[in-house]
Amino acid sequence: MARVMVPSQLKLAEKLSLINDRGIGMLTRIYNIKKACGDAKSKPGFLSDKTLESSIKYIVRRFPNIDIKGLQAITQIRNEIIKSLSLYYYTFVDLLDFKDNVCDLLTTMDACQVHLDMTLNFELTKGYLDLVTTYVTLMVLLSRVEDRKAVLGLFNAAHEVVHSQSDTSFPRLGQMIIDYDPPIKKLAEEFVPHQKLLASALMSLWGIYTSRNLSAEKWRSDQKLSLVGNPGYLLKPSQTENMSCEYISLDTMERWITFGFMLCPQMLSQDKPNKLWMSALESSWVVALFRDEVLYIHAYIINYFDGMKGFGKRISEVKECYNQSVQKAAHRHRERRKFLRTALKELGLILTDQPGLLGPKALLIFMGLCCARDEVFWVLRHNDNPPQQKSKGKTAEDLVDRQLPELLFHMEELRVLVRKYSQVMQRYYVQYLSGFDAIALNQIVQTLQVLAEDESIILSSLCNVIANLSVKQVEDNEAFDFRALRLDWFRLQAYTSINKSQLGLQAHRDLASLIDTIMFHTKMVDYLDEIFYSKIFEDQFHMCLEFPAQNRYIVAFPLICGHFQSCTHELCPEERHHIRERSLSVVNMFLDEMAKEAKNIITTICDEQCTMSDKLLPKHCAILISQVVNRKKKDKNKKSAPEIAKPGVESLRKTREELTTMDKLHMALTELCFAINYCSTINVWDYTFAPREYLTQHLETRFARALVGMVMYNPDTNEIAKPSELLVSVRAYMNVLQTVENYVHIDITRVFNNALLQQTQPLDSHGEKTVAALYTQYSEVLLRRVSAGNICFSNNQRAFVSLTAEGAIPFNAEEFSDISELRALAELIGPYGMKLLNETLMWHIASQVQELKKLVANNKDVLVALRTNFDKPEIMKEQFKKLQHVDNVLQRMTIVGVILSFRQLAQGALVDVLEERIPFLLSSILDFRHNIPSGDPMVVNEMASAAGLCCKVDPTLVSALRNQKNGKYTTILLLTLHDLNMASPTCFPCTDDDEHLLACLLMVFVAVSIPKLARNENSFYRASLEGHANNIHCMAAAVNNIFGALFTICGQGDIEDRMKEFLALASSSLLRLGQEADKEAIRNRESVYLLLDQIVQESPFLTMDLLESCFPYALIRNAYHAVYKQEHMQA
């Protein structure tokens, strides 16, 4: 007596689920083996080893019957071979095991006489067709692994050498490799007993495939995917009797049909199967095997049919299908993509505005995404694999889709929309399930007459689970998981689809349709995700980047990178790391390229704006003025000069339709910034990428480089941009960058702060010279030019002025040192940059002071005598003649004075800028300076000096001189100050008393040397400039600042006494000029008298009363009168 077959014990649903999942894993592993063996770098080293070449050829030739006696070369490396090839070998063993399981399951389903119908038992039929397709794909992919025989034979030979017997799986494995080469013929033989079941499953696709495989014109006329096509149904749920069939992939169905009928070719003699088959073959010329592995299907089928009797007609049909696919398929799919772009855009706009429609219209979203996914796959696959034979028509043009990013973007937008409003959809479908579906299902179950125990349990469980759902679960963010429920429905399909089932599903289509709808509703609650990826991803990205009209959709590419991890499979963990690294590198590259392109557009706009700002500078008025003057001198013989375009003409338009370059740039920038601003972060694996930060970093780097570039410093010619002109260009640049905030949400102020602050330092973060460093370097060049002559510091003009034509070469000093230029410089480099400039100037002054100390040390005895005999004219006269290097001292003091004068101008400009920028903070600093608290006044003075304010004693100068004193220059220069007999004067440290004496003697040296300036013909005082032609008036600043700093460092608190001593010495020395008979000695006596007056006027320690007591003011008054009169006469 035959045993009764119990459906639940067959576990068809469980087996289909598990074997299909394992099939995907096996495909992943075989795919990776094929890629590895096809790449010389990644294939196992043994396969490329020259010493094993003859052995491998022997193995391939004799496969699978290999005699290891002829393989002596592998004996020494047998263990290495086993270790290296074991992953490959056991993957093929797993494939053999998979094949056995598939054959068992197919046989079981045939024995049970399972009824398959896609519109009735969707999951069961889909699982069956997936199983068949996966099995065929695996065998085809296996046949394309180049070194399969070498790998298997080499491993088995090594195994036999080690274990003295071949691997137990090898005989069957070897036979499988032989049998399935080529695979399709053997597969067709295997499926002879399964043809009836396979044919019934394929024919159930007739209604679904023919209704889905329509042209774009038909979709448009049917108002497919339209929410507003029928306003009366806007709020009604979109549903059909077969919900699951509505969003099944068209690409998947075509693979089922193509591979399915290849296994049962006799069915093609019937009308419907033939039409189904030809329709699928006309749709494309390649079929996807796995990922980017494809099969040129027509050539493959022709090759298969070629050796079969009675298939000549079929071969002709396939050739005709190939011609149709090459000529028409590309255009047909292009029109579909064109339709889907507008349809998905419309869906996105309406659902963004009314997210409540996501509930009732969810089916439309999934249908749209499914169609779009198929079309994207199709164009990527066929673009990468063009027809093998060139055809007439525009096939190549139709395969290049420059609007593809737009379609990808709308797909991603809908996906994000579904995830964003997932709770809206969950609330809707939870209420739908519990309020309608549960009641409807319960009513149908009540009408069922006969139910097996297993079927009854599943149906009761379905009713109870969906009936107990509530909105509160959604509000509490409870995680839903209906996978068990869906598996139960899969089981129920398996139980009720076999022959002699008590509850035949064929007789209860209403039940099948309702539960299928319920399953869709459960997916809307707990399952909302779907992804893809293709090989030519980067090419499409760069094509989009070069096409401004599609720039706004380019963000779809980095967003898709977040889905790459779904490509991995647990059966192939080794590729997980590679896909992860690839995902991260690609998304980083995409975002970086997007930011670079935006930066380049912004830079072009900035350059154009800088050019236009430059045209508004006063210097460009000269041409216009000369043109006006020439017009007044009417010369009829001469042709009138062409009209010079005035700034602003670019804004005059005859029509808005004529786009200028700037219009196009702004349009491109708007589109690209939309993409960058589309989402704040993109998550890829465990990393978070911020697109806006990429743009911020690129703008910051570019702005910093632009700042330095606009300085236009040429070290060979010492040419540099005027600070005022640079400031105009920088402001124009910044104005453009500020407008970027209108396009994308970035903090442009942060860009300014980071870039501009770096420009105040000697080097930026990249180690490059900054604006501050270049202008500091240039100021040194300027001051060297001043010291060389022909340039004078003018007190009334507050600038350095060229006295002769030679002084204006290669630049006019006044153009770079007047107050407006220095204010512009102060605004550009700020207090930090000015501090750098000051420190550099002070370093030069300290170097000059060091040299002055050396000169003082050499004249120590004479200076001591001059100091002690200042009231004895004859002795003073004799001692003065003994002084050496007097001119050197005066020249160095003049240089120091010039540097200090330039610094005073710079400090004054800084104060002017700070008064405008931070008036309240500056007033607080002024208040501190006027009311110095008890303690060290230098702290307050340093703060005031940093703000550009003047102090009695310059703290920056004090710091520079003190550092030099304590640094490498403090090795004793003044051994002559000590009566010590030492062999080397290089190691004796200075004491404070020595420093004080040195400062006093330097003061004496300068004071007694001033009268000698009268001999110099360039010492004439120019009243119009309020300065001496050779800049000796700058000595006033040098005397007051240098001696104030030196005596402060000594710390004896006698600055005023020492300055009085200086005044007394200088006065007595100058008064002796009045008794001088030598005309050369008194050539510019009056001009030198004025120097004494300036020293007193600028000094914070001396008063005019003191001067009057030492030097009659009548002499100074007469001196002013004389120099003014003399200059007037010369003029």
Side-chain angles (χ1 to χ4, degrees):
M1 179 179 171
R3 195 176 72 177
V4 178
M5 189 179 294
V6 181
S8 61
Q9 292 177 356
L10 296 173
K11 298 195 179 298
L12 296 180
E14 291 87 341
K15 287 179 180 179
L16 276 173
S17 298
L18 292 172
I19 295 176
N20 270 324
D21 181 64
R22 189 165 182 81
I24 301 300
M26 290 307 305
L27 275 172
T28 308
R29 286 171 65 179
I30 297 294
Y31 170 86
N32 279 284
I33 288 175
K34 181 186 180 301
K35 291 294 183 186
C37 290
D39 185 0
K41 293 180 181 178
S42 58
K43 68 161 48 179
F46 302 108
L47 300 179
S48 306
D49 194 340
K50 292 291 184 183
T51 59
L52 296 177
E53 189 173 348
S54 59
S55 299
I56 291 173
K57 286 182 179 178
Y58 173 78
I59 289 171
V60 173
R61 188 171 62 254
R62 299 293 302 274
F63 189 88
N65 303 311
I66 305 163
D67 185 359
I68 63 168
K69 291 178 182 178
L71 301 173
Q72 297 302 320
I74 71 170
T75 306
Q76 299 298 322
I77 54 172
R78 55 189 183 277
N79 292 322
E80 289 81 355
I81 291 175
I82 291 174
K83 184 178 179 181
S84 177
L85 300 182
S86 59
L87 179 64
Y88 291 65
Y89 182 84
Y90 289 112
T91 295
F92 289 115
V93 173
D94 289 343
L95 179 57
L96 188 63
D97 183 52
F98 175 79
K99 174 182 176 297
D100 293 340
N101 283 299
V102 170
C103 292
D104 288 346
L105 182 56
L106 292 174
T107 303
T108 302
M109 292 183 74
D110 267 320
C112 294
Q113 298 179 25
V114 176
H115 174 76
L116 297 178
D117 185 345
M118 189 63 75
T119 61
L120 184 68
N121 44 23
F122 176 83
E123 280 77 14
L124 186 65
T125 307
K126 180 180 180 298
Y128 178 82
L129 291 173
D130 279 340
L131 182 69
V132 172
T133 307
T134 302
Y135 181 43
V136 173
T137 303
L138 262 172
M139 291 306 168
V140 173
L141 205 56
L142 172 66
S143 69
R144 301 176 85 173
V145 177
E146 293 177 5
D147 297 311
R148 58 191 183 282
K149 292 181 180 178
V151 168
L152 296 174
L154 198 57
F155 178 89
N156 186 65
H159 185 280
E160 192 168 345
V161 171
V162 174
H163 301 285
S164 302
Q165 61 178 12
S166 64
D167 184 72
T168 53
S169 303
F170 183 72
R172 290 187 62 226
L173 199 55
Q175 193 59 45
M176 181 182 74
I177 297 296
I178 298 298
D179 289 345
Y180 290 88
D181 189 12
I184 196 67
K185 187 175 181 181
K186 178 66 176 176
L187 286 167
E189 291 174 5
E190 278 185 20
F191 269 84
V192 169
H194 313 309
Q195 282 188 4
K196 184 179 178 183
L197 183 60
L198 178 58
S200 66
L202 291 172
M203 289 314 299
S204 70
L205 296 173
W206 172 261
I208 303 167
Y209 181 72
T210 51
S211 64
R212 289 280 304 281
N213 188 26
L214 301 173
S215 65
E217 290 77 10
K218 181 62 176 171
W219 281 357
R220 202 170 277 113
S221 64
D222 292 345
Q223 295 188 324
K224 186 182 176 76
L225 306 178
S226 176
L227 288 175
V228 293
N230 193 341
Y233 288 87
L234 187 62
L235 297 178
K236 293 182 179 179
S238 298
Q239 60 184 42
T240 63
E241 290 186 359
N242 308 110
M243 296 282 276
S244 299
C245 297
E246 297 299 332
Y247 57 92
I248 188 171
S249 168
L250 191 65
D251 182 58
T252 301
M253 284 195 285
E254 287 174 351
R255 290 176 76 237
W256 290 342
I257 293 167
T258 305
F259 287 139
F261 284 119
M262 282 171 68
L263 298 177
C264 47
Q266 291 77 15
M267 291 290 297
L268 296 176
S269 58
Q270 299 176 29
D271 185 48
K272 278 191 176 181
N274 188 263
K275 286 182 179 178
L276 206 58
W277 158 266
M278 290 184 67
S279 181
L281 289 180
E282 287 175 356
S283 183
S284 56
W285 57 84
V286 291
V287 170
L289 291 175
F290 187 69
R291 295 183 181 170
D292 59 347
E293 282 292 317
V294 298
L295 193 66
Y296 280 91
I297 191 64
H298 301 85
Y300 196 80
I301 294 170
I302 290 169
N303 189 45
Y304 166 49
F305 284 170
D306 201 26
M308 299 170 66
K309 291 183 179 180
F311 276 82
K313 184 180 179 183
R314 300 284 89 83
I315 292 173
S316 300
E317 289 174 350
V318 172
K319 288 180 179 178
E320 178 60 27
C321 289
Y322 174 75
N323 292 331
Q324 289 294 316
S325 68
V326 170
Q327 292 172 16
K328 298 181 179 179
H331 179 266
R332 182 170 181 161
H333 284 275
R334 188 195 71 181
E335 292 301 312
R336 283 184 186 172
R337 293 193 301 276
K338 186 177 178 181
F339 167 79
L340 287 168
R341 281 198 301 273
T342 55
L344 295 190
K345 183 179 181 180
E346 179 189 296
L347 269 177
L349 289 172
I350 294 174
L351 295 174
T352 301
D353 186 57
Q354 298 293 332
L357 291 175
L358 282 165
K361 301 302 178 183
L363 180 62
L364 286 184
I365 297 170
F366 282 84
M367 287 169 62
L369 288 175
C370 176
C371 292
R373 178 193 58 196
D374 286 340
E375 295 307 318
V376 170
F377 274 148
W378 193 95
V379 72
L380 293 178
R381 186 185 309 128
H382 287 75
N383 188 13
D384 208 25
N385 301 279
Q388 292 175 317
Q389 298 174 6
K390 289 187 179 180
S391 63
K392 298 177 182 178
K394 298 182 179 180
T395 302
E397 294 177 19
D398 291 336
L399 290 177
V400 179
D401 191 350
R402 302 191 75 176
Q403 278 83 28
L404 185 64
E406 184 178 350
L407 182 57
L408 291 172
F409 175 80
H410 292 316
M411 292 171 69
E412 185 64 26
E413 196 170 37
L414 283 175
R415 194 190 72 85
V416 170
L417 207 59
V418 168
R419 294 179 70 85
K420 181 179 179 181
Y421 295 105
S422 58
Q423 279 206 340
V424 173
M425 298 179 72
Q426 285 177 333
R427 289 175 68 93
Y428 179 86
Y429 283 105
V430 161
Q431 293 177 78
Y432 205 129
L433 285 163
S434 60
F436 176 82
D437 291 336
I439 297 168
L441 180 60
N442 190 49
Q443 288 176 350
I444 291 179
V445 170
Q446 298 299 326
T447 62
L448 299 176
Q449 300 296 325
V450 181
L451 277 176
E453 182 181 357
D454 292 331
E455 297 161 358
S456 177
I457 292 171
I458 289 174
L459 288 172
S460 301
S461 174
L462 280 173
C463 287
N464 293 334
V465 170
I466 62 176
N468 292 328
L469 292 173
S470 69
V471 175
K472 191 174 185 304
Q473 290 173 283
V474 179
E475 293 171 348
D476 294 342
N477 288 320
E478 186 175 321
F480 294 96
D481 188 356
F482 296 118
R483 285 178 298 178
L485 199 71
R486 290 192 282 271
L487 183 57
D488 278 345
W489 167 229
F490 196 173
R491 290 189 181 109
L492 187 62
Q493 290 177 48
Y495 298 164
T496 57
S497 298
I498 65 174
N499 191 28
K500 299 179 181 178
S501 169
Q502 292 184 14
L503 176 67
L505 204 57
Q506 286 175 276
H508 298 88
R509 280 190 170 271
D510 55 343
L511 175 64
S513 177
L514 177 60
I515 300 181
D516 183 64
T517 303
I518 291 172
M519 292 306 111
F520 174 79
H521 293 169
T522 62
K523 288 179 182 178
M524 296 303 99
V525 177
D526 74 332
Y527 185 75
L528 299 168
D529 217 350
E530 197 73 35
I531 358 300
F532 55 84
Y533 170 67
S534 179
K535 173 187 167 187
I536 53 173
F537 207 35
E538 294 175 33
D539 295 338
Q540 290 289 334
F541 171 83
H542 286 109
M543 190 190 299
C544 177
L545 198 60
E546 294 164 6
F547 189 29
Q550 287 290 303
N551 281 172
R552 68 165 39 217
Y553 308 115
I554 201 169
V555 71
F557 291 94
L559 286 171
I560 289 169
C561 291
H563 310 321
F564 287 2
Q565 63 193 53
S566 65
C567 297
T568 61
H569 196 279
E570 59 186 11
L571 267 183
C572 192
E574 62 269 17
E575 75 166 0
R576 188 175 179 83
H577 174 75
H578 170 73
I579 291 178
R580 176 178 176 274
E581 293 304 311
R582 181 69 175 148
S583 306
L584 296 175
S585 66
V586 167
V587 72
N588 181 66
M589 184 271 288
F590 284 165
L591 294 176
D592 194 55
E593 290 285 328
M594 288 164 61
K596 273 184 188 174
E597 184 66 18
K599 178 258 298 181
N600 291 337
I601 295 171
I602 293 166
T603 301
T604 307
I605 296 172
C606 286
D607 291 343
E608 184 67 23
Q609 289 293 331
C610 288
T611 303
M612 289 193 283
S613 295
D614 183 73
K615 290 178 182 177
L616 293 173
L617 291 174
K619 66 181 182 182
H620 293 293
C621 290
I623 301 172
L624 295 173
I625 293 170
S626 66
Q627 196 178 52
V628 172
V629 172
N630 291 334
R631 270 195 209 137
K632 291 178 181 178
K633 299 176 183 177
K634 293 182 179 178
D635 191 344
K636 295 181 179 179
N637 297 327
K638 290 185 177 180
K639 293 182 180 179
S640 58
E643 189 72 24
I644 297 171
K646 294 180 182 179
V649 293
E650 67 279 347
S651 300
L652 300 175
R653 297 174 184 270
K654 292 182 179 178
T655 169
R656 282 296 307 177
E657 293 175 1
E658 295 179 10
L659 291 179
T660 64
T661 303
M662 291 296 284
D663 294 333
K664 294 173 183 175
L665 287 171
H666 277 99
M667 186 196 80
L669 181 62
T670 305
E671 297 295 293
L672 199 53
C673 284
F674 174 87
I676 294 171
N677 198 51
Y678 181 72
C679 56
S680 57
T681 58
I682 295 174
N683 295 315
V684 179
W685 294 78
D686 299 328
Y687 291 82
T688 299
F689 293 83
R692 298 168 195 165
E693 283 302 310
Y694 280 81
L695 179 59
T696 301
Q697 289 174 10
H698 277 290
L699 288 180
E700 188 178 315
T701 304
R702 177 61 202 160
F703 183 46
R705 288 181 181 170
L707 287 171
V708 176
M710 287 188 286
V711 174
M712 296 186 292
Y713 180 61
N714 187 336
D716 298 327
T717 61
N718 291 321
E719 292 178 351
I720 198 167
K722 291 170 64 175
S724 58
E725 293 180 7
L726 174 61
L727 184 60
V728 169
S729 296
V730 170
R731 282 176 173 164
Y733 215 99
M734 291 173 70
N735 286 339
V736 174
L737 291 179
Q738 280 183 310
T739 62
V740 176
E741 288 185 332
N742 299 331
Y743 302 107
V744 60
H745 298 152
I746 60 172
D747 185 4
I748 208 69
T749 306
R750 192 183 87 188
V751 173
F752 293 157
N753 289 342
N754 291 347
L756 292 172
L757 194 59
Q758 285 185 39
Q759 296 305 310
T760 66
Q761 304 303 307
L763 298 173
D764 63 14
S765 57
H766 302 288
E768 302 290 333
K769 282 191 175 182
T770 60
V771 173
L774 292 173
Y775 275 104
T776 299
Q777 189 175 339
Y778 175 76
S779 67
E780 297 174 12
V781 175
L782 172 65
L783 294 173
R784 277 199 293 272
R785 293 281 304 160
V786 174
S787 301
N790 300 318
I791 297 175
C792 170
F793 173 66
S794 171
N795 269 315
N796 60 354
Q797 293 186 28
R798 303 302 294 163
F800 287 91
V801 180
S802 301
L803 299 177
T804 62
E806 291 83 358
I809 300 173
F811 51 78
N812 283 323
E814 49 265 55
E815 287 189 12
F816 290 89
S817 63
D818 70 0
I819 195 67
S820 62
E821 296 299 333
L822 290 175
R823 281 175 182 168
L825 181 62
E827 194 155 351
L828 282 167
I829 63 177
Y832 283 116
M834 297 301 276
K835 185 172 183 289
L836 172 65
L837 176 64
N838 287 334
E839 288 172 351
T840 306
L841 296 177
M842 290 307 157
W843 181 86
H844 287 290
I845 292 173
S847 300
Q848 294 294 338
V849 171
Q850 191 69 23
E851 294 302 316
L852 287 168
K853 287 180 180 179
K854 292 180 184 178
L855 297 173
V856 169
N858 292 335
N859 292 279
K860 178 253 180 182
D861 294 332
V862 178
L863 291 171
V864 170
L866 285 168
R867 187 183 187 195
T868 55
N869 297 294
F870 74 94
D871 54 346
K872 299 173 183 176
E874 293 301 323
I875 297 175
M876 290 286 285
K877 189 173 182 181
E878 289 300 320
Q879 291 294 330
F880 181 75
K881 290 178 181 179
K882 296 178 183 179
L883 277 180
Q884 298 175 352
H885 311 298
V886 174
D887 291 336
N888 197 343
V889 169
L890 293 171
Q891 185 182 7
R892 291 186 184 281
M893 286 298 289
T894 304
I895 291 171
V896 169
V898 168
I899 294 174
L900 287 169
S901 298
F902 179 76
R903 179 172 182 267
Q904 286 174 4
L905 291 179
Q907 291 289 84
L910 178 60
V911 172
D912 293 341
V913 171
L914 294 182
E915 278 181 346
E916 184 181 347
R917 300 290 293 273
I918 49 168
F920 300 109
L921 183 58
L922 189 64
S923 64
S924 300
I925 296 172
L926 281 165
D927 190 48
F928 265 110
R929 193 188 64 166
H930 288 308
N931 304 282
I932 297 177
S934 58
D936 185 7
M938 290 304 290
V939 177
V940 176
N941 285 343
E942 285 174 7
M943 177 177 66
S945 179
L949 301 173
C950 295
C951 303
K952 274 190 173 184
V953 179
D954 193 328
T956 313
L957 182 56
V958 170
S959 176
L961 294 174
R962 182 176 283 129
N963 289 339
Q964 194 176 57
K965 172 190 169 186
N966 298 329
K968 63 183 179 180
Y969 298 108
T970 58
T971 55
I972 191 63
L973 296 167
L974 307 177
L975 188 58
T976 52
L977 294 176
H978 296 271
D979 296 322
L980 297 173
N981 296 319
M982 299 181 67
S984 173
T986 57
C987 304
F988 196 88
C990 293
T991 64
D992 289 341
D993 289 339
D994 294 335
E995 284 292 333
H996 187 262
L997 177 59
L998 193 64
C1000 291
L1001 294 181
L1002 177 58
M1003 176 193 71
V1004 173
F1005 205 155
V1006 175
V1008 300
S1009 301
I1010 287 176
K1012 194 173 181 181
L1013 293 169
R1015 291 178 175 272
N1016 192 331
E1017 62 180 353
N1018 290 324
S1019 294
F1020 175 67
Y1021 184 81
R1022 291 182 177 238
S1024 58
L1025 298 176
E1026 290 189 10
H1028 297 81
N1030 59 356
N1031 288 310
I1032 60 172
H1033 59 289
C1034 295
M1035 285 178 63
V1039 167
N1040 288 306
N1041 283 279
I1042 292 294
F1043 294 134
L1046 286 174
F1047 290 123
T1048 299
I1049 292 170
C1050 293
Q1052 297 190 12
D1054 60 346
I1055 301 177
E1056 290 191 16
D1057 293 338
R1058 298 287 70 77
M1059 291 306 294
K1060 287 176 184 177
E1061 182 182 351
F1062 172 83
L1063 183 59
L1065 283 165
S1067 299
S1068 62
S1069 299
L1070 286 172
L1071 286 171
R1072 282 195 294 274
L1073 274 181
Q1075 303 167 0
E1076 189 68 55
D1078 186 2
K1079 289 186 178 181
E1080 286 292 322
I1082 60 172
R1083 178 186 293 175
N1084 285 307
R1085 180 177 59 191
E1086 286 76 15
S1087 295
V1088 176
Y1089 283 170
L1090 299 183
L1091 175 58
L1092 188 64
D1093 178 52
Q1094 288 178 325
I1095 290 172
V1096 175
Q1097 285 186 13
E1098 292 184 22
S1099 174
F1101 309 107
L1102 300 175
T1103 63
M1104 294 305 292
D1105 292 338
L1106 276 173
L1107 176 62
E1108 183 67 30
S1109 66
C1110 299
F1111 194 90
Y1113 194 75
L1115 288 176
I1116 295 174
R1117 188 168 55 247
N1118 291 336
Y1120 273 117
H1121 179 73
V1123 296
Y1124 272 77
K1125 182 178 179 182
Q1126 186 178 350
E1127 186 177 22
H1128 181 68
M1129 289 172 63
Q1130 289 177 352

